[in-house]
Amino acid sequence: MSISVLGAGAFGTALAVSLAQNGPVTLWARDPAQAAQMAEARMNARRLPGVRLPDTVTVTADLDAAMADVVLLAIPMQQTAAFLAQNTGRLAGKALVACSKGIDLATGQGPTALIATTCPGAIPAVLTGPSFAADIARGLPTALTLACADAAAGTALQHALSTPTLRLYRTTDTTGAELGGALKNVIAIAAGVVIGAGLGDSARAALMTRGFAEMTRLATAFGAHPDTLMGLSGFGDLVLTCTSAQSRNFRFGQALGAAGSFDAEATIEGVATARAATALAARHGIDMPVTQMVAALVAGAITVENAVQALLSRPLKQE
Ligand SMILES: NC(=O)C1=CN([C@@H]2O[C@H](COP(=O)(O)OP(=O)(O)OC[C@H]3O[C@@H](n4cnc5c(N)ncnc54)[C@H](O)[C@@H]3O)[C@@H](O)[C@H]2O)C=CC1
Ligand SMILES: O=C(CO)COP(=O)(O)O
């Protein structure tokens, strides 16, 4: 099976580097100048400095040349719907593996639903779980979830995309896998706020636990299996992202909590996902107090002090 990765950001580049251990991989960058620079320097100096691109990675800005049997989509979530719509014909019949984490603001859909509605005939799948691009690219051991509703296709993808250092577990529960990955970013922003505001590690543990409860509430209301939330794509990624300063979502929250500033160019998926999840929760009558607070905080509608006060003054209830 030929493999390509669309999107030459940190994650797309890291996946291409790891997959190149198995054979040839094509990495597509939308900007021809960036593609040429990466091909020449054999490095993605902006997003993944210090990591050499193996000879088996071909970098191109020609999207047609980047079509393969298996196409990994490593572009930010809020750009995905438009990208798919622009390339429906090219992507028809491919196995399309979404590597983004989030909920589309306009439709409330996750990546596999977007693929299914925009690219009929494609096989939608999602690759998610606890993994920093820099760790994958350095060949550190990493375990991820490959979710595909079609069990046979999922098994084939699991084998095609596992490498000596990237171990994939499979599931058919695409809803659980992608909602776990999307919602943990929101909780990671909240965890960052807690640390940035100096509220302490005990408060962070409480917030992660209550955050996990609301992730599970929303995901299961949409048909996810609770076990999926307990796995790599939910609990695993929640732990990683809420506790590591490698996470952009966590660091963004830390800056919010400390009233500091943050790189406006960085991909912080939890910002849009907080809004999208808050809207979904309201529409379906699901209680998601932490997510709501994050949405209000990033919109500048409340202060950190008010958010903490509001969470602490909720009615006492059974765990
Ligand atoms: N960086 C990481 O450690 C991980 C990232 N992810 C997910 O991967 C996704 C991408 O994140 P990163 O690669 O880290 O972001 P990034 O900010 O490093 O790169 C994003 C890339 O997408 C490209 N892009 C943006 N809009 C585009 C469009 N309309 N068409 C084509 N390309 C476009 C940009 O040029 C850039 O190269 C996110 O959903 C993120 O949550 C998942 C796991 C780990
Ligand atoms: O999803 C990730 C780790 O699993 C990456 O997290 P950030 O997007 O917060 O950097």
Side-chain angles (χ1 to χ4, degrees):
M1 271 196 269
S2 57
I3 297 175
S4 67
V5 181
L6 307 187
F11 199 42
T13 306
L15 288 170
V17 168
S18 189
L19 289 164
Q21 294 176 86
N22 292 349
V25 178
T26 305
L27 175 61
W28 174 79
R30 66 174 161 168
D31 176 5
Q34 189 206 354
Q37 201 272 333
M38 283 175 65
E40 166 76 18
R42 302 307 298 165
M43 191 177 293
N44 183 344
R46 175 144 187 251
R47 300 286 184 184
L48 207 57
V51 175
R52 194 185 169 279
L53 298 181
D55 296 342
T56 39
V57 173
T58 301
V59 187
T60 182
D62 178 346
L63 196 47
D64 287 319
M67 284 305 119
D69 303 325
V70 179
V71 176
L72 276 66
L73 297 172
I75 65 175
M77 184 64 209
Q78 302 310 321
Q79 319 301 327
T80 300
F83 179 83
L84 292 172
Q86 282 157 16
N87 296 292
T88 307
R90 279 194 182 94
L91 300 172
K94 309 288 183 201
L96 293 183
V97 183
C99 305
S100 51
K101 294 177 181 173
I103 300 171
D104 180 52
L105 252 178
T107 61
Q109 289 180 316
T112 52
L114 284 183
I115 291 169
T117 48
T118 324
C119 301
I123 299 168
V126 59
L127 182 63
T128 184
S131 56
F132 288 123
D135 293 348
I136 290 181
R138 286 166 59 209
L140 301 181
T142 311
L144 294 177
T145 299
L146 186 285
C148 182
D150 177 332
T155 303
L157 287 171
Q158 177 190 28
H159 286 93
L161 301 177
S162 286
T163 75
T165 51
L166 199 62
R167 184 175 167 79
L168 267 51
Y169 289 76
R170 70 173 181 276
T171 176
T172 53
D173 182 6
T174 51
T175 304
E178 63 190 17
L179 277 177
L183 298 172
K184 65 84 192 176
N185 278 335
V186 180
I187 308 303
I189 293 176
V193 170
V194 163
I195 298 303
L199 302 177
D201 289 339
S202 303
R204 169 166 52 183
L207 183 118
M208 286 169 65
T209 312
R210 298 312 306 161
F212 184 62
E214 67 184 55
M215 285 167 60
T216 307
R217 264 199 303 277
L218 185 80
T220 52
F222 280 85
H225 200 289
D227 283 352
T228 311
L229 274 293
M230 291 296 295
L232 292 163
S233 56
F235 179 75
D237 212 355
L238 178 75
V239 170
L240 179 73
T241 318
C242 289
T243 60
S244 171
Q246 277 197 72
S247 161
R248 295 161 296 190
N249 285 281
F250 177 79
R251 289 202 312 274
F252 170 74
Q254 237 181 335
L256 262 184
S261 59
F262 200 77
D263 177 5
E265 304 258 292
T267 300
I268 315 290
E269 292 284 27
V271 170
T273 296
R275 278 178 61 198
T278 297
L280 280 182
R283 211 174 307 143
H284 294 269
I286 299 161
D287 193 24
M288 297 191 77
V290 178
T291 301
Q292 276 168 353
M293 286 306 160
V294 172
L297 258 180
V298 298
I302 51 165
T303 62
V304 171
E305 292 72 24
N306 289 345
V308 172
Q309 198 45 47
L311 286 175
L312 290 178
S313 58
R314 282 167 53 82
L316 296 174
K317 56 182 204 173
Q318 190 171 318
E319 189 174 27

